[in-house]
Amino acid sequence: MGGLCEEKLRLTRNYQEANARFSDAVSVLAEKTGTVPRDEYERLRQTAEQLRLDSEKARVNLERHIAQHDC
């Protein structure tokens, strides 16, 4: 099939945005390591982990769509 697929474009944007949010969270976590109280560090770590999971879910959704729709 191939060609322009709006759903693939949407899922690609979702993945790129989710990945960017995860990357930003990891940068903040690295920057704050050793400089913030333990509870704040743990909150930042949990946020980064949730964003990692969101990014992974977006990637799986994109890959599933590509496999199912051959686009």
Side-chain angles (χ1 to χ4, degrees):
M1 201 182 303
L4 181 64
C5 175
E6 292 298 322
E7 182 66 4
K8 180 181 175 184
L9 293 175
R10 184 187 71 77
L11 291 168
T12 299
R13 277 192 305 272
N14 285 352
Y15 175 51
Q16 290 170 337
E17 291 167 3
N19 210 34
R21 286 189 298 273
F22 170 54
S23 179
D24 290 346
V26 169
S27 293
V28 169
L29 185 61
E31 178 184 312
K32 300 291 184 177
T33 298
T35 65
V36 295
R38 180 90 175 141
D39 60 335
E40 184 177 346
Y41 175 83
E42 186 57 28
R43 182 187 59 78
L44 292 169
R45 190 195 64 73
Q46 288 175 357
T47 297
E49 176 61 12
Q50 183 57 56
L51 291 170
R52 182 190 70 77
L53 294 172
D54 293 348
S55 177
E56 178 66 11
K57 181 178 178 183
R59 182 189 63 77
V60 168
N61 288 340
L62 174 60
E63 288 179 355
R64 182 180 300 130
H65 175 81
I66 292 169
Q68 289 175 347
H69 296 268
D70 193 31
C71 60

